[in-house]
Short mmCIF file of all heavy atoms in Angstrom, two decimals:
data_model
loop_
_atom_site.label_atom_id
_atom_site.label_comp_id
_atom_site.label_asym_id
_atom_site.label_seq_id
_atom_site.Cartn_x
_atom_site.Cartn_y
_atom_site.Cartn_z
N GLY A 72 1.68 1.38 1.05
CA GLY A 72 2.63 2.49 1.06
C GLY A 72 1.96 3.82 1.14
O GLY A 72 1.07 4.04 1.95
N SER A 73 2.38 4.75 0.31
CA SER A 73 1.90 6.11 0.49
C SER A 73 0.74 6.43 -0.45
O SER A 73 0.64 7.52 -0.96
CB SER A 73 3.04 7.08 0.30
OG SER A 73 3.64 6.85 -0.96
N GLU A 104 1.08 14.97 1.51
CA GLU A 104 1.75 13.66 1.41
C GLU A 104 2.39 13.30 2.74
O GLU A 104 2.29 12.18 3.23
CB GLU A 104 2.82 13.74 0.33
CG GLU A 104 2.89 12.53 -0.55
CD GLU A 104 4.01 12.66 -1.57
OE1 GLU A 104 3.76 13.32 -2.60
OE2 GLU A 104 5.09 12.12 -1.31
N ARG A 105 3.04 14.29 3.33
CA ARG A 105 3.72 14.07 4.60
C ARG A 105 2.71 13.77 5.71
O ARG A 105 2.90 12.89 6.53
CB ARG A 105 4.54 15.30 4.96
CG ARG A 105 5.21 15.22 6.31
CD ARG A 105 6.23 14.12 6.37
NE ARG A 105 6.97 14.16 7.61
CZ ARG A 105 7.92 13.32 7.95
NH1 ARG A 105 8.24 12.35 7.13
NH2 ARG A 105 8.54 13.43 9.11
N GLN A 108 1.54 10.35 5.49
CA GLN A 108 2.59 9.43 5.91
C GLN A 108 2.61 9.31 7.43
O GLN A 108 2.79 8.25 7.99
CB GLN A 108 3.91 9.97 5.42
CG GLN A 108 5.02 8.97 5.30
CD GLN A 108 6.29 9.67 4.90
OE1 GLN A 108 6.94 10.31 5.73
NE2 GLN A 108 6.63 9.60 3.66
N ARG A 111 -0.76 7.26 10.22
CA ARG A 111 -0.63 5.91 9.71
C ARG A 111 -1.95 5.19 9.48
O ARG A 111 -2.07 4.43 8.55
CB ARG A 111 0.25 5.07 10.63
CG ARG A 111 1.51 4.66 9.93
CD ARG A 111 2.46 3.99 10.86
NE ARG A 111 3.41 4.91 11.40
CZ ARG A 111 3.99 4.78 12.59
NH1 ARG A 111 3.69 3.77 13.34
NH2 ARG A 111 4.85 5.66 13.02
N ASP A 120 1.59 9.73 19.41
CA ASP A 120 2.41 8.55 19.12
C ASP A 120 3.05 8.63 17.75
O ASP A 120 4.21 8.30 17.56
CB ASP A 120 1.52 7.31 19.15
CG ASP A 120 1.94 6.40 20.27
OD1 ASP A 120 2.76 6.84 21.11
OD2 ASP A 120 1.49 5.26 20.30
N LEU A 123 5.72 11.31 17.65
CA LEU A 123 6.91 10.92 18.42
C LEU A 123 7.68 9.81 17.73
O LEU A 123 8.81 9.53 18.11
CB LEU A 123 6.50 10.48 19.83
CG LEU A 123 6.20 11.63 20.78
CD1 LEU A 123 5.70 11.09 22.10
CD2 LEU A 123 7.47 12.45 21.01
N VAL A 125 8.90 10.03 14.97
CA VAL A 125 9.97 10.70 14.23
C VAL A 125 11.09 10.98 15.21
O VAL A 125 10.97 11.86 16.06
CB VAL A 125 9.47 12.03 13.60
CG1 VAL A 125 10.59 12.72 12.87
CG2 VAL A 125 8.30 11.78 12.68
N PRO A 126 12.19 10.22 15.15
CA PRO A 126 13.20 10.36 16.20
C PRO A 126 13.76 11.78 16.32
O PRO A 126 14.01 12.26 17.41
CB PRO A 126 14.31 9.39 15.79
CG PRO A 126 13.81 8.61 14.66
CD PRO A 126 12.54 9.18 14.17
N GLU A 127 13.92 12.48 15.18
CA GLU A 127 14.44 13.84 15.24
C GLU A 127 13.54 14.74 16.07
O GLU A 127 14.01 15.67 16.72
CB GLU A 127 14.54 14.41 13.83
CG GLU A 127 15.95 14.43 13.26
CD GLU A 127 15.97 14.85 11.80
OE1 GLU A 127 15.81 16.05 11.55
OE2 GLU A 127 16.12 13.98 10.95
N PHE A 128 12.23 14.48 16.02
CA PHE A 128 11.31 15.29 16.81
C PHE A 128 11.38 14.89 18.28
O PHE A 128 11.40 15.73 19.16
CB PHE A 128 9.88 15.13 16.28
CG PHE A 128 8.86 15.93 17.04
CD1 PHE A 128 8.64 17.26 16.71
CD2 PHE A 128 8.15 15.38 18.10
CE1 PHE A 128 7.71 18.02 17.42
CE2 PHE A 128 7.23 16.13 18.81
CZ PHE A 128 7.01 17.46 18.47
N MET A 130 13.74 13.84 19.93
CA MET A 130 14.97 14.27 20.59
C MET A 130 14.96 15.75 20.93
O MET A 130 15.85 16.24 21.61
CB MET A 130 16.18 14.03 19.66
CG MET A 130 16.45 12.57 19.46
SD MET A 130 17.97 12.19 18.54
CE MET A 130 18.23 13.55 17.50
N ASN A 131 14.00 16.49 20.43
CA ASN A 131 13.96 17.94 20.63
C ASN A 131 13.55 18.25 22.06
O ASN A 131 12.60 17.69 22.57
CB ASN A 131 12.95 18.54 19.64
CG ASN A 131 13.06 20.04 19.53
OD1 ASN A 131 12.89 20.76 20.51
ND2 ASN A 131 13.35 20.52 18.35
N LEU A 137 5.49 21.10 22.33
CA LEU A 137 4.99 21.15 20.95
C LEU A 137 3.95 20.07 20.71
O LEU A 137 3.01 20.26 19.96
CB LEU A 137 6.15 20.99 19.97
CG LEU A 137 7.03 22.22 19.88
CD1 LEU A 137 8.26 21.91 19.04
CD2 LEU A 137 6.26 23.36 19.27
N PHE A 149 -2.82 21.54 10.74
CA PHE A 149 -1.41 21.16 10.61
C PHE A 149 -0.69 22.18 9.74
O PHE A 149 0.38 22.68 10.10
CB PHE A 149 -1.38 19.76 9.97
CG PHE A 149 -0.03 19.18 9.71
CD1 PHE A 149 0.80 18.77 10.73
CD2 PHE A 149 0.42 18.99 8.40
CE1 PHE A 149 2.03 18.20 10.48
CE2 PHE A 149 1.65 18.41 8.14
CZ PHE A 149 2.46 18.02 9.18
N PHE A 156 6.44 28.91 9.81
CA PHE A 156 7.80 28.60 9.39
C PHE A 156 8.02 28.86 7.91
O PHE A 156 9.09 28.57 7.38
CB PHE A 156 8.13 27.13 9.70
CG PHE A 156 8.08 26.81 11.17
CD1 PHE A 156 6.93 26.33 11.75
CD2 PHE A 156 9.20 27.03 11.96
CE1 PHE A 156 6.88 26.04 13.10
CE2 PHE A 156 9.16 26.74 13.32
CZ PHE A 156 8.00 26.26 13.89
N TYR A 173 4.99 29.43 24.75
CA TYR A 173 5.10 29.77 26.17
C TYR A 173 3.74 29.75 26.85
O TYR A 173 3.59 29.30 27.97
CB TYR A 173 5.71 31.17 26.32
CG TYR A 173 7.20 31.20 26.16
CD1 TYR A 173 7.79 31.44 24.93
CD2 TYR A 173 8.04 30.97 27.25
CE1 TYR A 173 9.16 31.47 24.78
CE2 TYR A 173 9.42 31.00 27.11
CZ TYR A 173 9.97 31.25 25.87
OH TYR A 173 11.32 31.27 25.73
N VAL A 186 7.82 30.98 31.75
CA VAL A 186 9.13 31.08 31.12
C VAL A 186 10.10 30.10 31.78
O VAL A 186 10.92 29.46 31.11
CB VAL A 186 9.70 32.51 31.19
CG1 VAL A 186 11.02 32.59 30.46
CG2 VAL A 186 8.72 33.50 30.59
N ASP A 192 12.88 22.99 30.23
CA ASP A 192 12.94 22.06 29.10
C ASP A 192 14.22 22.23 28.32
O ASP A 192 14.82 21.27 27.86
CB ASP A 192 11.77 22.31 28.14
CG ASP A 192 10.45 21.77 28.68
OD1 ASP A 192 10.51 20.88 29.54
OD2 ASP A 192 9.40 22.26 28.24
N LEU A 193 14.65 23.50 28.18
CA LEU A 193 15.80 23.77 27.32
C LEU A 193 17.14 23.49 27.97
O LEU A 193 18.13 23.25 27.28
CB LEU A 193 15.79 25.24 26.88
CG LEU A 193 14.73 25.63 25.86
CD1 LEU A 193 14.78 27.13 25.62
CD2 LEU A 193 14.96 24.90 24.54
N THR A 194 17.19 23.55 29.32
CA THR A 194 18.50 23.38 29.95
C THR A 194 18.60 22.10 30.75
O THR A 194 19.70 21.66 31.06
CB THR A 194 18.81 24.55 30.90
OG1 THR A 194 17.73 24.67 31.83
CG2 THR A 194 18.97 25.84 30.13
N GLY A 195 17.48 21.47 31.10
CA GLY A 195 17.50 20.20 31.80
C GLY A 195 18.25 20.26 33.10
O GLY A 195 18.06 21.17 33.91
N PHE A 197 21.37 20.77 33.43
CA PHE A 197 22.66 21.46 33.29
C PHE A 197 22.64 22.85 33.88
O PHE A 197 23.60 23.60 33.79
CB PHE A 197 23.07 21.48 31.81
CG PHE A 197 23.29 20.10 31.27
CD1 PHE A 197 22.28 19.42 30.64
CD2 PHE A 197 24.51 19.46 31.45
CE1 PHE A 197 22.46 18.12 30.18
CE2 PHE A 197 24.70 18.17 31.00
CZ PHE A 197 23.67 17.50 30.36
N VAL A 206 18.94 34.09 36.59
CA VAL A 206 19.19 34.65 35.26
C VAL A 206 17.95 35.36 34.74
O VAL A 206 18.00 36.50 34.24
CB VAL A 206 19.59 33.53 34.27
CG1 VAL A 206 19.66 34.06 32.87
CG2 VAL A 206 20.91 32.94 34.67
N LEU A 210 17.55 39.36 33.92
CA LEU A 210 17.33 39.85 32.57
C LEU A 210 16.01 40.59 32.44
O LEU A 210 15.90 41.57 31.70
CB LEU A 210 17.37 38.68 31.57
CG LEU A 210 18.75 38.07 31.37
CD1 LEU A 210 18.68 36.86 30.46
CD2 LEU A 210 19.72 39.08 30.80
N GLU A 213 16.56 43.99 33.88
CA GLU A 213 17.36 44.79 32.95
C GLU A 213 16.51 45.32 31.81
O GLU A 213 16.73 46.44 31.33
CB GLU A 213 18.47 43.91 32.37
CG GLU A 213 19.82 44.57 32.37
CD GLU A 213 20.86 43.63 31.77
OE1 GLU A 213 20.63 43.10 30.67
OE2 GLU A 213 21.88 43.43 32.45
N ILE A 230 10.32 42.53 22.47
CA ILE A 230 11.60 41.91 22.89
C ILE A 230 12.25 41.15 21.73
O ILE A 230 13.46 41.21 21.53
CB ILE A 230 11.37 40.92 24.05
CG1 ILE A 230 10.78 41.64 25.26
CG2 ILE A 230 12.66 40.23 24.43
CD1 ILE A 230 10.26 40.70 26.32
N TYR A 233 13.91 41.31 16.17
CA TYR A 233 15.23 41.76 15.76
C TYR A 233 15.65 40.98 14.52
O TYR A 233 15.15 39.90 14.29
CB TYR A 233 16.26 41.65 16.90
CG TYR A 233 16.63 40.23 17.30
CD1 TYR A 233 17.96 39.79 17.18
CD2 TYR A 233 15.71 39.35 17.86
CE1 TYR A 233 18.32 38.51 17.59
CE2 TYR A 233 16.07 38.09 18.25
CZ TYR A 233 17.37 37.67 18.12
OH TYR A 233 17.74 36.42 18.52
N LEU A 236 16.36 37.03 13.97
CA LEU A 236 15.40 35.96 14.26
C LEU A 236 15.12 35.18 12.99
O LEU A 236 14.52 35.68 12.06
CB LEU A 236 14.10 36.55 14.81
CG LEU A 236 13.10 35.50 15.28
CD1 LEU A 236 13.54 34.96 16.63
CD2 LEU A 236 11.71 36.06 15.38
N ARG A 237 15.58 33.92 13.00
CA ARG A 237 15.38 33.09 11.81
C ARG A 237 14.52 31.91 12.19
O ARG A 237 14.88 31.18 13.10
CB ARG A 237 16.73 32.56 11.30
CG ARG A 237 17.58 33.57 10.61
CD ARG A 237 17.35 33.57 9.10
NE ARG A 237 18.07 34.67 8.49
CZ ARG A 237 17.62 35.92 8.43
NH1 ARG A 237 16.44 36.22 8.91
NH2 ARG A 237 18.35 36.87 7.89
N MET A 238 13.41 31.75 11.53
CA MET A 238 12.57 30.59 11.86
C MET A 238 11.92 30.13 10.57
O MET A 238 10.75 30.37 10.32
CB MET A 238 11.51 31.02 12.88
CG MET A 238 11.03 29.89 13.74
SD MET A 238 10.11 30.45 15.18
CE MET A 238 8.46 30.48 14.55
N GLU A 239 12.71 29.48 9.74
CA GLU A 239 12.19 29.08 8.43
C GLU A 239 12.51 27.65 8.15
O GLU A 239 13.62 27.19 8.44
CB GLU A 239 12.89 29.90 7.35
CG GLU A 239 12.08 31.06 6.87
CD GLU A 239 12.91 31.92 5.96
OE1 GLU A 239 13.57 31.37 5.07
OE2 GLU A 239 12.91 33.14 6.17
N VAL A 240 11.55 26.96 7.54
CA VAL A 240 11.81 25.60 7.10
C VAL A 240 11.40 25.48 5.64
O VAL A 240 10.37 26.05 5.24
CB VAL A 240 11.00 24.59 7.94
CG1 VAL A 240 11.30 23.19 7.47
CG2 VAL A 240 11.32 24.70 9.40
N ILE A 242 9.92 23.42 2.55
CA ILE A 242 9.12 22.23 2.29
C ILE A 242 9.70 21.54 1.05
O ILE A 242 9.76 22.15 -0.01
CB ILE A 242 7.65 22.59 1.98
CG1 ILE A 242 7.16 23.66 2.93
CG2 ILE A 242 6.78 21.35 1.97
CD1 ILE A 242 6.72 23.16 4.25
N PRO A 243 10.11 20.26 1.17
CA PRO A 243 10.64 19.61 -0.02
C PRO A 243 9.52 19.37 -1.03
O PRO A 243 8.48 18.82 -0.71
CB PRO A 243 11.18 18.28 0.51
CG PRO A 243 10.51 18.06 1.80
CD PRO A 243 10.09 19.38 2.33
N SER B 34 1.98 -0.64 18.48
CA SER B 34 1.61 0.74 18.71
C SER B 34 2.17 1.24 20.03
O SER B 34 2.21 2.42 20.30
CB SER B 34 0.09 0.87 18.72
OG SER B 34 -0.43 -0.07 19.65
N LYS B 60 23.04 29.94 18.21
CA LYS B 60 23.97 30.98 17.79
C LYS B 60 25.18 31.00 18.72
O LYS B 60 25.05 31.06 19.92
CB LYS B 60 23.26 32.32 17.80
CG LYS B 60 22.13 32.36 16.75
CD LYS B 60 21.19 33.53 16.97
CE LYS B 60 19.97 33.03 17.70
NZ LYS B 60 18.72 33.32 17.04
N LYS B 65 26.99 39.98 25.40
CA LYS B 65 26.31 39.96 26.69
C LYS B 65 24.92 39.36 26.51
O LYS B 65 24.28 39.53 25.48
CB LYS B 65 26.19 41.39 27.18
CG LYS B 65 25.80 41.49 28.64
CD LYS B 65 26.09 42.89 29.15
CE LYS B 65 24.86 43.76 29.06
NZ LYS B 65 24.06 43.74 30.27
N LEU B 66 24.48 38.64 27.51
CA LEU B 66 23.19 37.97 27.43
C LEU B 66 22.05 38.97 27.59
O LEU B 66 22.06 39.79 28.51
CB LEU B 66 23.12 36.91 28.54
CG LEU B 66 22.05 35.86 28.42
CD1 LEU B 66 22.33 35.00 27.20
CD2 LEU B 66 22.04 35.00 29.66
N LEU B 68 17.57 39.57 27.34
CA LEU B 68 16.31 38.86 27.59
C LEU B 68 15.89 38.09 26.34
O LEU B 68 15.41 36.97 26.41
CB LEU B 68 15.21 39.84 28.02
CG LEU B 68 13.87 39.18 28.37
CD1 LEU B 68 14.04 38.20 29.51
CD2 LEU B 68 12.83 40.24 28.74
N ARG B 69 16.11 38.71 25.21
CA ARG B 69 15.62 38.06 23.99
C ARG B 69 16.37 36.76 23.71
O ARG B 69 15.83 35.83 23.12
CB ARG B 69 15.70 39.00 22.79
CG ARG B 69 17.10 39.34 22.38
CD ARG B 69 17.13 39.87 20.97
NE ARG B 69 18.48 40.17 20.56
CZ ARG B 69 18.90 41.39 20.23
NH1 ARG B 69 18.07 42.40 20.23
NH2 ARG B 69 20.16 41.58 19.85
N LEU B 72 14.51 34.17 25.71
CA LEU B 72 13.16 33.87 25.27
C LEU B 72 13.07 33.31 23.86
O LEU B 72 12.09 32.70 23.49
CB LEU B 72 12.30 35.14 25.33
CG LEU B 72 11.96 35.68 26.72
CD1 LEU B 72 11.08 36.91 26.60
CD2 LEU B 72 11.26 34.63 27.54
N ASP B 73 14.13 33.52 23.08
CA ASP B 73 14.08 33.13 21.68
C ASP B 73 14.27 31.62 21.51
O ASP B 73 15.39 31.12 21.56
CB ASP B 73 15.16 33.90 20.91
CG ASP B 73 15.12 33.58 19.42
OD1 ASP B 73 14.19 32.87 18.98
OD2 ASP B 73 16.05 34.02 18.71
N VAL B 74 13.18 30.93 21.32
CA VAL B 74 13.27 29.47 21.16
C VAL B 74 13.24 29.08 19.68
O VAL B 74 13.02 27.92 19.35
CB VAL B 74 12.14 28.74 21.90
CG1 VAL B 74 12.33 28.83 23.36
CG2 VAL B 74 10.79 29.27 21.48
N SER B 75 13.44 30.06 18.81
CA SER B 75 13.29 29.75 17.38
C SER B 75 14.21 28.64 16.86
O SER B 75 13.79 27.86 16.02
CB SER B 75 13.44 31.01 16.52
OG SER B 75 14.70 31.61 16.71
N ALA B 77 15.21 25.83 18.36
CA ALA B 77 14.60 24.54 18.71
C ALA B 77 13.31 24.32 17.93
O ALA B 77 13.04 23.22 17.47
CB ALA B 77 14.34 24.47 20.22
N LEU B 78 12.52 25.39 17.78
CA LEU B 78 11.27 25.27 17.04
C LEU B 78 11.52 24.93 15.58
O LEU B 78 10.83 24.11 14.99
CB LEU B 78 10.47 26.57 17.12
CG LEU B 78 9.77 26.90 18.43
CD1 LEU B 78 8.90 28.12 18.28
CD2 LEU B 78 8.94 25.73 18.90
N THR B 79 12.53 25.58 15.00
CA THR B 79 12.84 25.32 13.59
C THR B 79 13.26 23.87 13.39
O THR B 79 12.83 23.22 12.44
CB THR B 79 13.98 26.25 13.11
OG1 THR B 79 13.71 27.57 13.52
CG2 THR B 79 14.12 26.20 11.61
N ALA B 81 12.38 21.34 15.24
CA ALA B 81 11.21 20.48 15.43
C ALA B 81 10.34 20.51 14.18
O ALA B 81 9.86 19.48 13.72
CB ALA B 81 10.42 20.95 16.64
N ALA B 84 11.78 18.50 11.46
CA ALA B 84 11.59 17.06 11.65
C ALA B 84 10.16 16.66 11.31
O ALA B 84 9.93 15.58 10.77
CB ALA B 84 11.90 16.70 13.09
N ILE B 85 9.19 17.52 11.62
CA ILE B 85 7.80 17.20 11.33
C ILE B 85 7.59 17.13 9.82
O ILE B 85 6.87 16.29 9.31
CB ILE B 85 6.84 18.24 11.95
CG1 ILE B 85 6.89 18.15 13.47
CG2 ILE B 85 5.42 18.02 11.47
CD1 ILE B 85 6.00 19.17 14.16
N ILE B 86 8.24 18.04 9.10
CA ILE B 86 8.00 18.15 7.66
C ILE B 86 8.69 17.02 6.88
O ILE B 86 8.17 16.49 5.93
CB ILE B 86 8.45 19.52 7.16
CG1 ILE B 86 7.45 20.56 7.62
CG2 ILE B 86 8.58 19.55 5.65
CD1 ILE B 86 7.87 21.96 7.35
N ASP B 88 11.92 13.85 7.54
CA ASP B 88 13.06 13.37 8.33
C ASP B 88 13.63 12.12 7.68
O ASP B 88 12.90 11.34 7.08
CB ASP B 88 12.64 13.08 9.78
CG ASP B 88 11.82 11.83 9.87
OD1 ASP B 88 10.70 11.83 9.35
OD2 ASP B 88 12.31 10.85 10.44
N PHE B 90 14.72 9.44 8.88
CA PHE B 90 14.39 8.12 9.42
C PHE B 90 13.13 7.56 8.78
O PHE B 90 13.12 6.43 8.30
CB PHE B 90 14.21 8.20 10.94
CG PHE B 90 13.94 6.88 11.58
CD1 PHE B 90 14.97 5.96 11.73
CD2 PHE B 90 12.68 6.53 12.03
CE1 PHE B 90 14.73 4.73 12.31
CE2 PHE B 90 12.44 5.30 12.61
CZ PHE B 90 13.48 4.40 12.76
N THR B 91 12.06 8.37 8.73
CA THR B 91 10.81 7.89 8.16
C THR B 91 10.99 7.53 6.69
O THR B 91 10.36 6.62 6.18
CB THR B 91 9.70 8.95 8.30
OG1 THR B 91 9.79 9.51 9.58
CG2 THR B 91 8.33 8.36 8.10
N LYS B 95 9.51 4.11 4.03
CA LYS B 95 8.38 4.52 3.21
C LYS B 95 8.36 3.60 1.99
O LYS B 95 9.36 3.43 1.31
CB LYS B 95 8.64 5.97 2.79
CG LYS B 95 7.49 6.62 2.10
CD LYS B 95 7.81 8.11 1.88
CE LYS B 95 7.19 8.56 0.60
NZ LYS B 95 7.61 9.82 0.12
N SER B 96 7.20 2.99 1.73
CA SER B 96 7.09 2.21 0.49
C SER B 96 6.80 3.20 -0.63
O SER B 96 5.82 3.91 -0.59
CB SER B 96 5.94 1.22 0.54
OG SER B 96 5.73 0.76 1.83
N PRO B 98 5.44 3.70 -4.08
CA PRO B 98 4.72 2.94 -5.11
C PRO B 98 5.28 3.26 -6.48
O PRO B 98 5.70 4.39 -6.72
CB PRO B 98 3.28 3.42 -4.98
CG PRO B 98 3.38 4.77 -4.37
CD PRO B 98 4.62 4.79 -3.53
N ARG B 314 5.07 -2.78 9.35
CA ARG B 314 4.08 -2.01 10.09
C ARG B 314 2.74 -2.00 9.37
O ARG B 314 1.71 -1.72 9.95
CB ARG B 314 4.55 -0.56 10.28
CG ARG B 314 5.67 -0.44 11.30
CD ARG B 314 5.91 0.99 11.68
NE ARG B 314 6.66 1.71 10.67
CZ ARG B 314 7.28 2.86 10.89
NH1 ARG B 314 7.23 3.41 12.06
NH2 ARG B 314 7.94 3.46 9.94
N LYS B 315 2.80 -2.25 8.06
CA LYS B 315 1.56 -2.11 7.30
C LYS B 315 0.93 -3.45 6.92
O LYS B 315 -0.25 -3.51 6.70
CB LYS B 315 1.84 -1.33 6.01
CG LYS B 315 2.13 0.11 6.26
CD LYS B 315 1.46 1.02 5.25
CE LYS B 315 1.49 2.42 5.80
NZ LYS B 315 0.76 3.39 5.15
N TRP B 371 20.75 6.39 11.45
CA TRP B 371 19.77 6.04 12.48
C TRP B 371 19.85 4.57 12.83
O TRP B 371 20.20 3.74 12.02
CB TRP B 371 18.35 6.35 11.99
CG TRP B 371 18.12 7.79 11.74
CD1 TRP B 371 18.06 8.41 10.52
CD2 TRP B 371 17.94 8.81 12.71
NE1 TRP B 371 17.85 9.74 10.67
CE2 TRP B 371 17.77 10.02 12.00
CE3 TRP B 371 17.90 8.83 14.10
CZ2 TRP B 371 17.56 11.22 12.65
CZ3 TRP B 371 17.70 10.04 14.74
CH2 TRP B 371 17.52 11.22 14.02
N ARG B 379 11.57 4.68 21.40
CA ARG B 379 11.95 6.08 21.24
C ARG B 379 13.43 6.26 21.53
O ARG B 379 14.03 5.46 22.24
CB ARG B 379 11.15 6.94 22.23
CG ARG B 379 9.68 6.71 22.02
CD ARG B 379 8.89 7.95 21.89
NE ARG B 379 7.52 7.56 21.58
CZ ARG B 379 6.51 7.64 22.42
NH1 ARG B 379 6.70 8.15 23.62
NH2 ARG B 379 5.32 7.26 22.07
N HIS B 384 20.49 12.38 23.57
CA HIS B 384 20.57 13.45 22.57
C HIS B 384 19.91 14.72 23.04
O HIS B 384 20.41 15.82 22.80
CB HIS B 384 19.94 12.99 21.26
CG HIS B 384 20.72 11.89 20.63
ND1 HIS B 384 20.34 10.58 20.71
CD2 HIS B 384 21.90 11.89 19.99
CE1 HIS B 384 21.24 9.83 20.12
NE2 HIS B 384 22.20 10.59 19.67
N THR B 385 18.75 14.56 23.71
CA THR B 385 18.09 15.74 24.26
C THR B 385 19.03 16.40 25.26
O THR B 385 19.17 17.62 25.28
CB THR B 385 16.79 15.33 24.98
OG1 THR B 385 16.14 14.34 24.19
CG2 THR B 385 15.88 16.50 25.16
N GLU B 386 19.69 15.56 26.10
CA GLU B 386 20.56 16.13 27.12
C GLU B 386 21.72 16.88 26.49
O GLU B 386 22.14 17.93 27.00
CB GLU B 386 21.08 15.00 28.02
CG GLU B 386 20.03 14.54 29.02
CD GLU B 386 20.43 13.29 29.76
OE1 GLU B 386 21.56 12.81 29.57
OE2 GLU B 386 19.59 12.78 30.53
N GLN B 389 20.50 20.22 25.56
CA GLN B 389 20.28 21.02 26.76
C GLN B 389 21.61 21.53 27.30
O GLN B 389 21.73 22.68 27.73
CB GLN B 389 19.57 20.18 27.83
CG GLN B 389 18.11 19.91 27.51
CD GLN B 389 17.49 18.92 28.47
OE1 GLN B 389 18.17 18.05 29.02
NE2 GLN B 389 16.19 19.04 28.68
N GLN B 390 22.60 20.67 27.24
CA GLN B 390 23.90 21.04 27.77
C GLN B 390 24.49 22.20 26.97
O GLN B 390 25.02 23.15 27.54
CB GLN B 390 24.85 19.83 27.71
CG GLN B 390 26.17 20.08 28.37
CD GLN B 390 27.05 18.84 28.33
OE1 GLN B 390 26.82 17.93 27.56
NE2 GLN B 390 28.05 18.83 29.17
N PHE B 392 22.97 24.49 25.23
CA PHE B 392 22.26 25.74 25.48
C PHE B 392 22.61 26.28 26.87
O PHE B 392 22.91 27.46 27.02
CB PHE B 392 20.75 25.51 25.35
CG PHE B 392 19.93 26.76 25.54
CD1 PHE B 392 19.98 27.78 24.62
CD2 PHE B 392 19.13 26.91 26.67
CE1 PHE B 392 19.23 28.94 24.79
CE2 PHE B 392 18.38 28.07 26.84
CZ PHE B 392 18.43 29.09 25.91
N ALA B 393 22.57 25.39 27.88
CA ALA B 393 22.84 25.85 29.24
C ALA B 393 24.24 26.45 29.35
O ALA B 393 24.44 27.51 29.95
CB ALA B 393 22.68 24.69 30.22
N LEU B 400 26.60 34.89 30.45
CA LEU B 400 26.26 35.62 31.66
C LEU B 400 27.51 36.23 32.29
O LEU B 400 27.45 37.29 32.90
CB LEU B 400 25.59 34.66 32.65
CG LEU B 400 24.65 35.28 33.69
CD1 LEU B 400 23.57 36.07 32.98
CD2 LEU B 400 24.05 34.18 34.52
#
Side-chain angles (χ1 to χ4, degrees):
Chain A
S73 55
E104 221 182 278
R105 176 64 173 179
Q108 201 184 77
R111 245 173 266 151
D120 244 11
L123 282 175
V125 179
E127 257 173 76
F128 180 85
M130 292 187 332
N131 193 300
L137 287 173
F149 178 70
F156 297 93
Y173 281 93
V186 183
D192 285 338
L193 288 175
T194 55
F197 297 93
V206 172
L210 290 176
E213 226 180 51
I230 300 168
Y233 69 118
L236 186 77
R237 285 268 174 277
M238 206 166 90
E239 261 172 47
V240 181
I242 317 279
Chain B
S34 53
K60 295 166 261 235
K65 193 164 95 92
L66 196 66
L68 183 60
R69 67 161 181 242
L72 290 182
D73 183 7
V74 290
S75 59
L78 286 187
T79 312
I85 293 179
I86 286 173
D88 73 293
F90 183 74
T91 317
K95 188 173 146 192
S96 329
R314 287 192 283 197
K315 290 221 165 190
W371 297 104
R379 304 230 175 107
H384 294 101
T385 319
E386 283 170 5
Q389 288 171 331
Q390 186 178 18
F392 183 68
L400 205 56

